[in-house]
Amino acid sequence: MSQFIDARTSQNASLANSIAIPILVVDTPQLFGQIGLITTDTIGANPRVQFTGTVTLQLPLALVGVTITVVRGTLSTDPVIYSATSTFSLSVLAPQVITFSASDFNPPITPQLTYTAFISSNLLGTIRVGPENFDGALYSD
């Protein structure tokens, strides 16, 4: 039977259009969420972390690719556990909501597991407008 260990939320922006953070450097990861999950001495076999997240963007009127990356650690160069790219067409005018779900099976057990979510765009003019969140929960057998 699964055992719940810990859960955390990184809530950067709760409401639509509550922020206006431009992505200023092409193809360079920009942090939008970070969580630290505390492990216990009683953690069982098969630890796993499940994630969800949301980022909302106003896109330029051009073909644009947006990449979400989740790493185990704090730097964009740390081990990647999830990455996905969405490409949006020229006709997209309204803010676009990107949601994702990911998991990390059998992470190395340390006193705290830190995960960081990044976003990047292949075109200038992409603006993070909110809402934004990044959640994670740690379970074991």
Side-chain angles (χ1 to χ4, degrees):
M1 179 164 76
S2 291
Q3 172 186 351
F4 170 78
I5 307 297
D6 193 17
R8 302 291 171 174
T9 297
S10 176
Q11 187 78 20
N12 191 42
S14 298
L15 304 172
N17 297 310
S18 60
I19 58 175
I21 301 171
I23 295 178
L24 297 174
V25 183
V26 172
D27 294 327
T28 299
Q30 189 176 76
L31 186 146
F32 74 88
Q34 189 171 69
I35 57 173
L37 299 168
I38 307 301
T39 61
T40 65
D41 293 337
T42 60
I43 194 166
N46 302 318
R48 60 214 171 266
V49 183
Q50 296 175 327
F51 306 98
T52 58
T54 300
V55 180
T56 306
L57 305 167
Q58 183 66 57
L59 303 168
L61 290 176
L63 188 62
V64 61
V66 175
T67 301
I68 303 291
T69 305
V70 177
V71 301
R72 187 185 316 118
T74 59
L75 305 173
S76 61
T77 54
D78 285 333
V80 174
I81 61 147
Y82 174 83
S83 181
T85 300
S86 294
T87 302
F88 298 92
S89 72
L90 301 173
S91 63
V92 175
L93 295 176
Q96 297 299 298
V97 179
I98 300 173
T99 61
F100 64 94
S101 176
S103 60
D104 188 15
F105 187 75
N106 267 339
I109 297 304
T110 58
Q112 176 174 295
L113 292 168
T114 301
Y115 292 90
T116 307
F118 295 95
I119 187 166
S120 61
S121 174
N122 66 357
L123 193 63
L124 293 179
T126 304
I127 302 170
R128 298 167 37 209
V129 295
E132 291 183 349
N133 74 301
F134 178 53
D135 308 305
L138 173 62
Y139 301 91
S140 71
D141 290 339

